Amino acid sequence: MSMDTDEGKTVMCLLTDPEGTHLGSAMYIPQNAGPLQLTQLVNRFLDNEEMLPYSFYVSDEELLVPVGTYLEKNKVSVEKVLTIVYQQQAVFRIRPVNRCSQTIAGHAEAVLCVSFSPDGKQLASGSGDTTVRLWDLYTETPLFTCKGHKNWVLTVAWSPDGKHLVSGSKSGEICCWNPKKGELEGSPLTGHKKWITGISWEPVHLSSPCRRFVTSSKDGDARIWDITLKKSIICLSGHTLAVTCVQWGGDGIIYTGSQDCTIKMWETTQGKLIRELKGHGHWINSLALSTEYVLRTGAFDHTGRQYPPNEEKQKALERYNQTKGDSPERLVSGSDDFTMFLWEPSVSKQPKKRLTGHQQLVNHVYFSPDGKWIASASFDKSVRLWNGITGQFVTTFRGHVGPVYQVSWSADSRLLLSGSKDSTLKIWEIRTKKLKQDLPGHSDEVFAVDWSPDGEKVVSGGKDRVLKLWKG
Protein backbone atom coordinates (compact mmCIF):
# COMPACT_ATOMS: atom_id res chain seq x y z
CA MET A 1 0.00 0.00 0.00
CA SER A 2 1.71 3.21 -1.11
CA MET A 3 1.90 6.22 1.13
CA ASP A 4 -0.05 8.60 -1.13
CA THR A 5 -3.24 6.54 -1.25
CA ASP A 6 -2.95 6.38 2.52
CA GLU A 7 -2.57 10.13 2.98
CA GLY A 8 -6.16 11.08 3.64
CA LYS A 9 -7.14 8.10 5.76
CA THR A 10 -7.30 8.39 9.51
CA VAL A 11 -8.17 6.12 12.40
CA MET A 12 -9.57 6.97 15.82
CA CYS A 13 -6.96 6.10 18.46
CA LEU A 14 -6.82 6.28 22.24
CA LEU A 15 -3.38 6.42 23.84
CA THR A 16 -3.06 4.99 27.35
CA ASP A 17 -0.15 4.28 29.69
CA PRO A 18 0.50 0.69 30.91
CA GLU A 19 -1.70 1.34 33.96
CA GLY A 20 -4.63 2.21 31.68
CA THR A 21 -4.64 5.99 32.26
CA HIS A 22 -5.70 7.87 29.11
CA LEU A 23 -3.40 10.40 27.51
CA GLY A 24 -5.93 13.03 26.45
CA SER A 25 -9.09 11.83 24.72
CA ALA A 26 -9.52 9.67 21.61
CA MET A 27 -8.19 11.41 18.48
CA TYR A 28 -7.90 10.86 14.77
CA ILE A 29 -4.39 10.05 13.58
CA PRO A 30 -3.24 9.33 10.00
CA GLN A 31 -3.11 5.63 9.11
CA ASN A 32 0.43 6.05 7.85
CA ALA A 33 1.63 7.09 11.34
CA GLY A 34 4.04 4.52 12.83
CA PRO A 35 6.03 4.24 16.09
CA LEU A 36 8.19 7.28 15.22
CA GLN A 37 5.20 9.63 14.73
CA LEU A 38 3.49 8.20 17.82
CA THR A 39 6.66 8.80 19.86
CA GLN A 40 6.69 12.45 18.79
CA LEU A 41 3.01 12.72 19.69
CA VAL A 42 3.44 11.25 23.17
CA ASN A 43 6.46 13.46 23.89
CA ARG A 44 4.43 16.50 22.87
CA PHE A 45 1.43 15.49 24.99
CA LEU A 46 3.59 14.84 28.05
CA ASP A 47 5.55 18.08 27.57
CA ASN A 48 8.85 16.20 27.80
CA GLU A 49 11.83 18.54 27.68
CA GLU A 50 13.80 16.05 25.58
CA MET A 51 12.60 13.33 23.20
CA LEU A 52 12.24 10.12 25.19
CA PRO A 53 11.99 6.71 23.47
CA TYR A 54 8.66 4.86 23.65
CA SER A 55 7.37 1.54 22.42
CA PHE A 56 3.71 0.97 21.50
CA TYR A 57 1.43 -2.02 22.01
CA VAL A 58 -1.97 -2.98 20.63
CA SER A 59 -3.60 -5.82 22.59
CA ASP A 60 -0.23 -6.83 24.08
CA GLU A 61 1.50 -7.02 20.69
CA GLU A 62 4.20 -4.48 19.87
CA LEU A 63 3.30 -2.08 17.05
CA LEU A 64 6.27 -1.96 14.65
CA VAL A 65 4.46 -0.86 11.47
CA PRO A 66 2.19 2.08 10.54
CA VAL A 67 -1.24 1.88 12.16
CA GLY A 68 -3.00 1.35 8.80
CA THR A 69 -0.79 -1.66 7.97
CA TYR A 70 -1.57 -3.15 11.37
CA LEU A 71 -5.32 -2.70 10.87
CA GLU A 72 -5.21 -4.35 7.45
CA LYS A 73 -3.01 -7.25 8.55
CA ASN A 74 -5.13 -8.03 11.59
CA LYS A 75 -8.44 -7.21 9.87
CA VAL A 76 -9.39 -4.65 12.50
CA SER A 77 -12.32 -2.39 11.75
CA VAL A 78 -11.47 1.27 11.13
CA GLU A 79 -14.83 2.14 12.71
CA LYS A 80 -13.65 1.11 16.20
CA VAL A 81 -11.47 3.15 18.53
CA LEU A 82 -7.99 1.59 18.55
CA THR A 83 -6.40 1.55 22.02
CA ILE A 84 -2.63 1.95 21.87
CA VAL A 85 -0.54 1.47 25.03
CA TYR A 86 2.68 3.48 25.21
CA GLN A 87 5.65 2.42 27.38
CA GLN A 88 8.74 4.46 28.03
CA GLN A 89 11.96 2.62 27.22
CA ALA A 90 15.37 2.97 28.84
CA VAL A 91 17.28 5.94 27.44
CA PHE A 92 20.47 3.82 27.28
CA ARG A 93 21.06 0.50 25.51
CA ILE A 94 22.87 -2.57 26.81
CA ARG A 95 25.03 -4.49 24.36
CA PRO A 96 23.95 -8.13 24.06
CA VAL A 97 26.45 -10.49 25.65
CA ASN A 98 27.85 -12.96 23.12
CA ARG A 99 31.19 -14.40 24.25
CA CYS A 100 32.90 -15.83 27.31
CA SER A 101 35.67 -13.39 28.21
CA GLN A 102 37.11 -15.45 31.08
CA THR A 103 36.76 -18.75 32.88
CA ILE A 104 38.05 -18.42 36.43
CA ALA A 105 38.83 -21.42 38.57
CA GLY A 106 39.21 -21.07 42.33
CA HIS A 107 36.31 -22.65 44.13
CA ALA A 108 36.90 -26.26 45.19
CA GLU A 109 33.21 -27.21 45.04
CA ALA A 110 30.10 -26.13 43.11
CA VAL A 111 29.35 -22.40 42.80
CA LEU A 112 25.93 -21.93 44.44
CA CYS A 113 25.35 -18.16 44.26
CA VAL A 114 26.78 -15.14 42.42
CA SER A 115 26.10 -11.44 42.77
CA PHE A 116 27.51 -8.22 41.33
CA SER A 117 27.85 -5.20 43.60
CA PRO A 118 25.27 -2.41 43.04
CA ASP A 119 27.75 -0.34 41.01
CA GLY A 120 28.72 -3.38 38.92
CA LYS A 121 32.39 -2.97 39.83
CA GLN A 122 32.76 -5.96 42.18
CA LEU A 123 31.64 -9.56 42.12
CA ALA A 124 31.01 -12.07 44.91
CA SER A 125 30.35 -15.80 44.75
CA GLY A 126 29.43 -18.42 47.35
CA SER A 127 30.29 -22.09 47.07
CA GLY A 128 29.91 -25.57 48.48
CA ASP A 129 33.57 -25.27 49.56
CA THR A 130 32.35 -23.01 52.47
CA THR A 131 34.09 -19.89 51.11
CA VAL A 132 32.89 -16.60 49.70
CA ARG A 133 35.14 -15.26 46.98
CA LEU A 134 35.52 -11.73 45.69
CA TRP A 135 36.79 -11.25 42.15
CA ASP A 136 38.66 -8.45 40.42
CA LEU A 137 36.58 -7.55 37.36
CA TYR A 138 39.29 -5.49 35.66
CA THR A 139 41.85 -8.27 35.53
CA GLU A 140 39.20 -11.04 35.74
CA THR A 141 41.16 -12.85 38.46
CA PRO A 142 40.46 -13.94 42.07
CA LEU A 143 40.83 -11.10 44.58
CA PHE A 144 39.94 -12.43 48.05
CA THR A 145 38.97 -15.80 49.48
CA CYS A 146 36.75 -15.15 52.50
CA LYS A 147 36.79 -17.92 55.08
CA GLY A 148 34.44 -18.04 58.07
CA HIS A 149 31.54 -20.33 57.19
CA LYS A 150 31.27 -23.91 58.43
CA ASN A 151 29.12 -25.19 55.59
CA TRP A 152 27.95 -24.51 52.02
CA VAL A 153 27.42 -20.81 51.25
CA LEU A 154 23.87 -20.67 49.92
CA THR A 155 23.28 -16.96 49.43
CA VAL A 156 25.21 -13.66 49.19
CA ALA A 157 23.82 -10.10 49.24
CA TRP A 158 25.47 -6.69 48.78
CA SER A 159 24.18 -3.69 50.69
CA PRO A 160 22.70 -1.21 48.16
CA ASP A 161 25.39 1.35 49.06
CA GLY A 162 28.04 -1.26 48.15
CA LYS A 163 29.84 -1.02 51.49
CA HIS A 164 28.98 -4.44 52.94
CA LEU A 165 28.58 -7.98 51.76
CA VAL A 166 26.60 -10.54 53.75
CA SER A 167 26.49 -14.31 53.22
CA GLY A 168 24.42 -17.12 54.71
CA SER A 169 25.26 -20.80 54.97
CA LYS A 170 23.73 -24.24 55.25
CA SER A 171 24.53 -24.37 58.97
CA GLY A 172 22.61 -21.14 59.65
CA GLU A 173 25.31 -18.61 60.47
CA ILE A 174 25.62 -15.22 58.77
CA CYS A 175 28.97 -13.65 57.87
CA CYS A 176 29.48 -9.92 57.24
CA TRP A 177 32.45 -9.02 55.04
CA ASN A 178 34.32 -5.86 54.21
CA PRO A 179 34.46 -6.13 50.40
CA LYS A 180 37.42 -3.75 50.10
CA LYS A 181 39.65 -5.99 52.24
CA GLY A 182 37.92 -9.35 52.01
CA GLU A 183 37.89 -9.59 55.79
CA LEU A 184 35.22 -10.78 58.21
CA GLU A 185 33.62 -7.88 60.14
CA GLY A 186 33.39 -9.36 63.65
CA SER A 187 32.52 -13.00 64.25
CA PRO A 188 29.75 -14.87 62.37
CA LEU A 189 26.21 -13.96 63.49
CA THR A 190 24.25 -16.84 64.99
CA GLY A 191 20.55 -17.17 65.78
CA HIS A 192 19.06 -19.25 62.99
CA LYS A 193 18.85 -22.97 63.76
CA LYS A 194 18.79 -24.20 60.16
CA TRP A 195 20.10 -23.06 56.81
CA ILE A 196 19.71 -19.57 55.37
CA THR A 197 17.41 -19.33 52.34
CA GLY A 198 17.50 -15.59 51.59
CA ILE A 199 18.98 -12.21 52.52
CA SER A 200 17.54 -8.77 51.73
CA TRP A 201 18.82 -5.31 52.73
CA GLU A 202 16.83 -2.33 53.94
CA PRO A 203 16.58 0.08 50.95
CA VAL A 204 19.05 2.94 51.02
CA HIS A 205 16.28 5.54 50.44
CA LEU A 206 14.81 4.54 53.82
CA SER A 207 18.04 4.45 55.76
CA SER A 208 21.54 5.59 54.81
CA PRO A 209 24.23 4.39 55.43
CA CYS A 210 22.93 0.80 55.19
CA ARG A 211 22.75 -0.97 58.55
CA ARG A 212 19.85 -3.40 58.67
CA PHE A 213 19.19 -6.53 56.64
CA VAL A 214 16.76 -9.42 56.97
CA THR A 215 17.42 -13.15 56.58
CA SER A 216 15.02 -16.03 56.01
CA SER A 217 15.69 -19.57 57.16
CA LYS A 218 14.58 -23.18 56.96
CA ASP A 219 13.89 -22.94 60.73
CA GLY A 220 10.63 -21.03 60.04
CA ASP A 221 11.84 -17.60 61.19
CA ALA A 222 13.08 -14.43 59.56
CA ARG A 223 15.47 -12.19 61.48
CA ILE A 224 16.39 -8.53 61.18
CA TRP A 225 20.07 -7.85 61.92
CA ASP A 226 22.02 -4.65 62.53
CA ILE A 227 25.50 -4.77 60.98
CA THR A 228 26.81 -2.07 63.34
CA LEU A 229 25.53 -3.73 66.52
CA LYS A 230 26.47 -7.14 65.05
CA LYS A 231 23.34 -8.81 66.34
CA SER A 232 19.79 -9.91 65.58
CA ILE A 233 17.45 -7.13 66.70
CA ILE A 234 14.05 -8.59 65.74
CA CYS A 235 12.88 -12.14 65.12
CA LEU A 236 9.87 -12.43 62.80
CA SER A 237 8.19 -15.67 63.81
CA GLY A 238 4.79 -16.84 62.66
CA HIS A 239 5.37 -19.14 59.71
CA THR A 240 4.69 -22.80 60.53
CA LEU A 241 7.21 -24.20 58.04
CA ALA A 242 10.48 -23.14 56.39
CA VAL A 243 10.74 -19.54 55.14
CA THR A 244 12.07 -19.86 51.59
CA CYS A 245 12.43 -16.25 50.44
CA VAL A 246 12.41 -12.70 51.78
CA GLN A 247 12.19 -9.19 50.30
CA TRP A 248 12.53 -5.80 52.04
CA GLY A 249 10.13 -3.55 50.13
CA GLY A 250 10.55 0.10 49.22
CA ASP A 251 7.68 1.10 51.53
CA GLY A 252 9.61 -0.38 54.46
CA ILE A 253 7.62 -3.61 54.68
CA ILE A 254 9.25 -7.04 54.78
CA TYR A 255 7.66 -9.86 52.75
CA THR A 256 8.38 -13.49 53.59
CA GLY A 257 7.32 -16.52 51.53
CA SER A 258 7.13 -19.95 53.09
CA GLN A 259 6.54 -23.66 52.63
CA ASP A 260 3.36 -23.10 54.70
CA CYS A 261 1.88 -21.65 51.43
CA THR A 262 1.51 -18.11 52.81
CA ILE A 263 3.25 -14.78 52.27
CA LYS A 264 3.46 -12.66 55.40
CA MET A 265 3.99 -8.89 55.59
CA TRP A 266 5.86 -7.41 58.57
CA GLU A 267 6.54 -3.89 59.79
CA THR A 268 10.14 -3.38 60.83
CA THR A 269 10.17 -1.33 64.04
CA GLN A 270 8.76 -4.05 66.33
CA GLY A 271 8.37 -6.93 63.87
CA LYS A 272 4.57 -6.98 63.94
CA LEU A 273 2.65 -9.04 61.37
CA ILE A 274 0.62 -6.67 59.15
CA ARG A 275 -1.22 -9.02 56.81
CA GLU A 276 -1.11 -12.42 55.18
CA LEU A 277 -1.39 -13.17 51.47
CA LYS A 278 -2.99 -16.53 50.82
CA GLY A 279 -3.79 -18.37 47.60
CA HIS A 280 -0.99 -20.77 46.78
CA GLY A 281 -1.65 -24.47 47.18
CA HIS A 282 1.96 -25.51 47.72
CA TRP A 283 5.36 -24.20 48.83
CA ILE A 284 6.34 -20.68 47.78
CA ASN A 285 9.79 -20.69 46.18
CA SER A 286 10.43 -17.16 45.05
CA LEU A 287 9.25 -13.59 45.63
CA ALA A 288 10.07 -10.56 43.50
CA LEU A 289 9.23 -6.85 43.75
CA SER A 290 8.51 -4.54 40.81
CA THR A 291 11.05 -2.08 42.28
CA GLU A 292 13.74 -4.69 43.02
CA TYR A 293 16.34 -3.40 40.57
CA VAL A 294 16.27 0.14 41.91
CA LEU A 295 16.24 -1.16 45.52
CA ARG A 296 19.30 -3.29 44.74
CA THR A 297 21.23 -0.45 43.10
CA GLY A 298 20.29 2.41 45.47
CA ALA A 299 21.86 5.64 44.22
CA PHE A 300 23.91 3.96 41.45
CA ASP A 301 22.52 4.43 37.94
CA HIS A 302 23.70 3.72 34.39
CA THR A 303 25.87 6.87 34.33
CA GLY A 304 28.19 5.39 36.97
CA ARG A 305 28.23 8.60 39.00
CA GLN A 306 29.29 8.33 42.66
CA TYR A 307 27.35 10.38 45.20
CA PRO A 308 28.65 11.62 48.57
CA PRO A 309 27.02 9.77 51.53
CA ASN A 310 24.82 12.74 52.45
CA GLU A 311 23.26 12.82 48.94
CA GLU A 312 22.93 9.04 48.49
CA LYS A 313 19.61 8.72 50.29
CA GLN A 314 18.00 11.54 48.31
CA LYS A 315 19.24 10.23 44.95
CA ALA A 316 18.03 6.71 45.81
CA LEU A 317 14.62 8.10 46.76
CA GLU A 318 14.37 9.97 43.44
CA ARG A 319 15.20 6.79 41.52
CA TYR A 320 12.72 4.75 43.57
CA ASN A 321 9.87 7.23 43.03
CA GLN A 322 10.63 7.46 39.32
CA THR A 323 10.49 3.66 38.90
CA LYS A 324 7.41 3.26 41.07
CA GLY A 325 5.51 6.15 39.49
CA ASP A 326 1.98 6.67 40.82
CA SER A 327 1.19 2.96 41.05
CA PRO A 328 1.65 0.76 44.13
CA GLU A 329 4.66 -1.55 44.50
CA ARG A 330 3.82 -4.97 43.04
CA LEU A 331 4.87 -8.39 44.28
CA VAL A 332 4.96 -11.65 42.36
CA SER A 333 5.23 -15.10 43.94
CA GLY A 334 6.22 -18.39 42.30
CA SER A 335 5.32 -21.76 43.76
CA ASP A 336 5.59 -25.53 43.70
CA ASP A 337 1.90 -25.54 42.70
CA PHE A 338 3.07 -24.56 39.13
CA THR A 339 1.40 -21.13 39.41
CA MET A 340 2.32 -17.55 40.22
CA PHE A 341 0.31 -14.75 41.79
CA LEU A 342 0.63 -11.03 41.13
CA TRP A 343 -0.17 -8.92 44.20
CA GLU A 344 -0.49 -5.24 45.08
CA PRO A 345 -0.01 -5.81 48.80
CA SER A 346 -0.49 -2.19 49.90
CA VAL A 347 -3.90 -2.15 48.16
CA SER A 348 -5.40 -5.57 48.80
CA LYS A 349 -4.71 -8.95 50.30
CA GLN A 350 -6.45 -10.54 47.32
CA PRO A 351 -4.16 -11.31 44.37
CA LYS A 352 -4.45 -9.05 41.34
CA LYS A 353 -4.03 -12.04 39.01
CA ARG A 354 -3.23 -15.75 39.01
CA LEU A 355 -0.58 -16.58 36.42
CA THR A 356 -0.96 -20.10 35.09
CA GLY A 357 0.77 -21.99 32.30
CA HIS A 358 3.89 -23.62 33.69
CA GLN A 359 3.72 -27.41 33.72
CA GLN A 360 6.18 -27.85 36.58
CA LEU A 361 7.20 -25.99 39.71
CA VAL A 362 8.20 -22.33 39.36
CA ASN A 363 11.73 -21.95 40.69
CA HIS A 364 12.50 -18.26 40.22
CA VAL A 365 10.52 -15.10 39.40
CA TYR A 366 12.00 -11.69 38.57
CA PHE A 367 10.65 -8.28 37.49
CA SER A 368 12.45 -6.36 34.75
CA PRO A 369 14.28 -3.21 36.00
CA ASP A 370 11.50 -0.97 34.62
CA GLY A 371 8.82 -3.13 36.27
CA LYS A 372 7.02 -3.68 32.93
CA TRP A 373 7.72 -7.44 32.63
CA ILE A 374 7.89 -10.51 34.83
CA ALA A 375 10.07 -13.48 33.89
CA SER A 376 9.60 -16.91 35.46
CA ALA A 377 11.95 -19.91 35.38
CA SER A 378 10.54 -23.39 35.77
CA PHE A 379 11.44 -27.05 35.99
CA ASP A 380 9.31 -27.51 32.83
CA LYS A 381 12.45 -26.29 30.92
CA SER A 382 10.80 -23.03 29.84
CA VAL A 383 11.04 -19.37 30.73
CA ARG A 384 7.76 -17.47 30.57
CA LEU A 385 7.25 -13.76 30.06
CA TRP A 386 4.29 -11.90 31.59
CA ASN A 387 3.05 -8.32 31.60
CA GLY A 388 4.39 -6.89 34.88
CA ILE A 389 1.40 -4.60 35.39
CA THR A 390 -1.59 -6.75 34.47
CA GLY A 391 -0.04 -10.22 34.86
CA GLN A 392 -1.22 -11.10 31.36
CA PHE A 393 0.75 -13.94 29.70
CA VAL A 394 2.99 -12.69 26.88
CA THR A 395 5.14 -15.55 25.55
CA THR A 396 7.09 -18.71 26.35
CA PHE A 397 10.82 -18.93 25.67
CA ARG A 398 11.67 -22.51 24.75
CA GLY A 399 15.16 -23.82 24.05
CA HIS A 400 16.55 -25.18 27.30
CA VAL A 401 16.54 -28.97 27.54
CA GLY A 402 16.68 -29.11 31.34
CA PRO A 403 15.10 -27.30 34.29
CA VAL A 404 15.75 -23.53 34.34
CA TYR A 405 17.20 -22.48 37.69
CA GLN A 406 17.60 -18.72 37.55
CA VAL A 407 16.94 -15.66 35.39
CA SER A 408 18.39 -12.14 35.33
CA TRP A 409 17.59 -8.97 33.34
CA SER A 410 19.75 -6.49 31.45
CA ALA A 411 19.58 -3.02 33.00
CA ASP A 412 17.58 -1.63 30.03
CA SER A 413 14.89 -4.38 30.35
CA ARG A 414 15.40 -5.34 26.69
CA LEU A 415 17.17 -8.68 27.24
CA LEU A 416 16.64 -11.62 29.58
CA LEU A 417 19.23 -14.15 30.71
CA SER A 418 18.54 -17.70 31.91
CA GLY A 419 20.74 -20.45 33.38
CA SER A 420 19.81 -24.11 33.32
CA LYS A 421 20.58 -27.65 34.39
CA ASP A 422 21.40 -28.27 30.70
CA SER A 423 24.76 -26.44 31.25
CA THR A 424 23.91 -23.47 28.99
CA LEU A 425 23.00 -19.83 29.44
CA LYS A 426 20.58 -18.29 27.00
CA ILE A 427 19.79 -14.66 26.22
CA TRP A 428 16.28 -13.84 25.02
CA GLU A 429 15.23 -10.64 23.27
CA ILE A 430 12.01 -9.16 24.60
CA ARG A 431 11.09 -7.16 21.48
CA THR A 432 11.27 -10.10 19.06
CA LYS A 433 10.40 -12.69 21.74
CA LYS A 434 13.15 -14.92 20.35
CA LEU A 435 16.47 -16.44 21.39
CA LYS A 436 19.16 -13.80 20.88
CA GLN A 437 22.23 -15.76 21.99
CA ASP A 438 23.03 -19.28 23.12
CA LEU A 439 25.98 -19.40 25.53
CA PRO A 440 27.35 -22.92 25.99
CA GLY A 441 30.65 -23.43 27.80
CA HIS A 442 29.95 -24.85 31.24
CA SER A 443 30.55 -28.57 31.55
CA ASP A 444 27.71 -29.12 34.03
CA GLU A 445 24.56 -27.56 35.57
CA VAL A 446 24.45 -23.75 35.84
CA PHE A 447 23.05 -22.91 39.29
CA ALA A 448 23.52 -19.15 39.42
CA VAL A 449 23.52 -16.24 36.95
CA ASP A 450 23.66 -12.47 37.32
CA TRP A 451 23.76 -9.55 34.88
CA SER A 452 25.76 -6.64 36.25
CA PRO A 453 23.65 -3.56 37.08
CA ASP A 454 25.84 -1.46 34.77
CA GLY A 455 24.99 -3.89 31.96
CA GLU A 456 28.60 -4.58 31.00
CA LYS A 457 28.96 -8.20 32.09
CA VAL A 458 27.23 -11.45 32.88
CA VAL A 459 28.50 -14.00 35.40
CA SER A 460 27.54 -17.64 35.73
CA GLY A 461 28.52 -20.40 38.12
CA GLY A 462 27.54 -23.97 38.78
CA LYS A 463 28.46 -27.56 39.31
CA ASP A 464 31.72 -27.44 37.30
CA ARG A 465 33.19 -25.12 40.02
CA VAL A 466 34.27 -22.34 37.65
CA LEU A 467 32.97 -18.85 37.24
CA LYS A 468 32.48 -17.65 33.70
CA LEU A 469 32.37 -13.97 32.77
CA TRP A 470 30.58 -13.08 29.55
CA LYS A 471 30.74 -9.83 27.59
CA GLY A 472 29.36 -8.11 24.52
Side-chain angles (χ1 to χ4, degrees):
M1 191 177 205
S2 70
M3 283 301 244
D4 28 293
T5 59
D6 217 10
E7 277 305 330
K9 294 187 182 172
T10 56
V11 60
M12 177 80 97
C13 290
L14 180 62
L15 288 164
T16 76
D17 72 1
E19 304 284 340
T21 314
H22 298 175
L23 183 63
S25 51
M27 62 197 126
Y28 284 104
I29 64 166
Q31 287 196 18
N32 59 6
L36 180 66
Q37 291 80 1
L38 289 169
T39 299
Q40 291 164 344
L41 192 66
V42 170
N43 274 293
R44 210 173 314 143
F45 264 107
L46 294 172
D47 289 331
N48 292 334
E49 286 168 17
E50 50 183 313
M51 279 283 280
L52 293 173
Y54 290 90
S55 52
F56 299 89
Y57 295 84
V58 182
S59 40
D60 271 342
E61 191 185 324
E62 189 171 356
L63 183 71
L64 300 166
V65 292
V67 182
T69 316
Y70 172 85
L71 295 175
E72 237 179 56
K73 188 173 153 225
N74 293 281
K75 304 199 169 30
V76 180
S77 160
V78 190
E79 309 296 314
K80 291 202 183 104
V81 176
L82 187 69
T83 305
I84 301 176
V85 179
Y86 66 91
Q87 278 192 9
Q88 192 186 327
Q89 294 183 298
V91 287
F92 56 96
R93 285 194 90 90
I94 299 296
R95 272 206 309 267
V97 169
N98 55 20
R99 64 190 172 89
C100 178
S101 68
Q102 194 63 280
T103 300
I104 329 176
H107 280 299
E109 287 294 334
V111 179
L112 303 175
C113 48
V114 290
S115 182
F116 283 104
S117 60
D119 60 0
K121 303 275 184 287
Q122 287 180 282
L123 168 65
S125 61
S127 160
D129 66 8
T130 77
T131 68
V132 170
R133 281 179 177 251
L134 289 156
W135 309 84
D136 183 332
L137 289 172
Y138 293 110
T139 59
E140 303 187 333
T141 52
L143 189 60
F144 301 116
T145 302
C146 310
K147 295 181 171 149
H149 283 294
K150 304 194 219 18
N151 210 320
W152 302 353
V153 182
L154 301 176
T155 174
V156 290
W158 292 87
S159 62
D161 60 6
K163 295 192 174 55
H164 307 281
L165 175 72
V166 170
S167 55
S169 91
K170 193 166 182 258
S171 46
E173 80 281 346
I174 314 279
C175 286
C176 308
W177 311 93
N178 174 341
K180 295 273 178 283
K181 299 179 182 162
E183 291 167 0
L184 195 58
E185 297 180 341
S187 46
L189 307 176
T190 54
H192 282 301
K193 298 170 213 51
K194 288 185 182 169
W195 68 73
I196 308 298
T197 55
I199 303 171
S200 185
W201 281 85
E202 180 169 24
V204 78
H205 69 258
L206 297 176
S207 146
S208 175
C210 296
R211 278 182 62 164
R212 298 195 301 166
F213 61 92
V214 61
T215 55
S216 58
S217 166
K218 177 109 168 70
D219 64 12
D221 292 339
R223 285 176 180 268
I224 300 175
W225 309 79
D226 186 312
I227 202 151
T228 318
L229 302 174
K230 302 270 183 293
K231 64 175 194 185
S232 163
I233 43 179
I234 298 170
C235 181
L236 310 173
S237 41
H239 282 295
T240 53
L241 287 169
V243 185
T244 54
C245 42
V246 63
Q247 292 286 355
W248 198 316
D251 303 334
I253 290 165
I254 289 175
Y255 304 93
T256 53
S258 164
Q259 290 183 351
D260 66 11
C261 308
T262 69
I263 299 163
K264 293 190 193 302
M265 295 166 61
W266 314 82
E267 64 83 46
T268 59
T269 47
Q270 296 156 316
K272 285 202 177 87
L273 181 64
I274 304 172
R275 68 171 41 154
E276 272 190 312
L277 308 177
K278 292 180 175 167
H280 280 297
H282 210 311
W283 297 356
I284 291 160
N285 294 324
S286 179
L287 288 176
L289 289 165
S290 55
T291 51
E292 200 164 327
Y293 175 80
V294 56
L295 297 182
R296 169 189 177 175
T297 50
F300 299 105
D301 60 12
H302 67 278
T303 60
R305 203 183 138 192
Q306 300 274 352
Y307 290 88
N310 55 341
E311 287 177 33
E312 228 172 31
K313 189 172 177 179
Q314 187 51 41
K315 176 65 186 167
L317 184 62
E318 280 170 27
R319 290 189 69 220
Y320 173 71
N321 287 334
Q322 192 184 345
T323 300
K324 187 167 163 271
D326 303 327
S327 53
E329 198 168 48
R330 296 182 300 283
L331 180 78
V332 67
S333 53
S335 161
D336 263 26
D337 65 12
F338 306 179
T339 73
M340 298 147 64
F341 277 107
L342 179 63
W343 314 82
E344 283 179 351
S346 58
V347 179
S348 161
K349 60 180 193 182
Q350 300 306 321
K352 188 170 177 180
K353 189 158 177 68
R354 184 165 181 249
L355 287 58
T356 59
H358 278 299
Q359 265 108 51
Q360 279 289 334
L361 67 86
V362 180
N363 199 44
H364 188 219
V365 291
Y366 212 6
F367 271 95
S368 60
D370 60 10
K372 304 281 196 307
W373 310 102
I374 299 164
S376 56
S378 165
F379 273 42
D380 66 9
K381 307 175 190 171
S382 76
V383 175
R384 279 178 178 251
L385 184 70
W386 316 80
N387 181 311
I389 292 151
T390 61
Q392 201 62 37
F393 170 71
V394 179
T395 192
T396 306
F397 294 122
R398 298 192 196 280
H400 282 298
V401 294
V404 187
Y405 290 141
Q406 212 178 5
V407 289
S408 190
W409 286 90
S410 66
D412 61 2
S413 304
R414 290 184 174 103
L415 301 166
L416 174 68
L417 163 75
S418 56
S420 160
K421 185 176 177 166
D422 69 11
S423 84
T424 71
L425 283 78
K426 293 191 192 312
I427 290 178
W428 313 91
E429 189 169 31
I430 301 308
R431 192 178 63 80
T432 59
K433 306 189 179 45
K434 287 189 168 66
L435 178 68
K436 177 89 176 164
Q437 197 74 45
D438 192 18
L439 302 172
H442 278 285
S443 58
D444 213 326
E445 309 185 22
V446 180
F447 293 140
V449 294
D450 195 21
W451 201 315
S452 67
D454 63 7
E456 294 290 315
K457 298 167 279 295
V458 160
V459 66
S460 58
K463 213 168 175 177
D464 63 5
R465 307 175 187 185
V466 297
L467 274 187
K468 281 185 180 284
L469 287 169
W470 311 80
K471 286 190 178 165

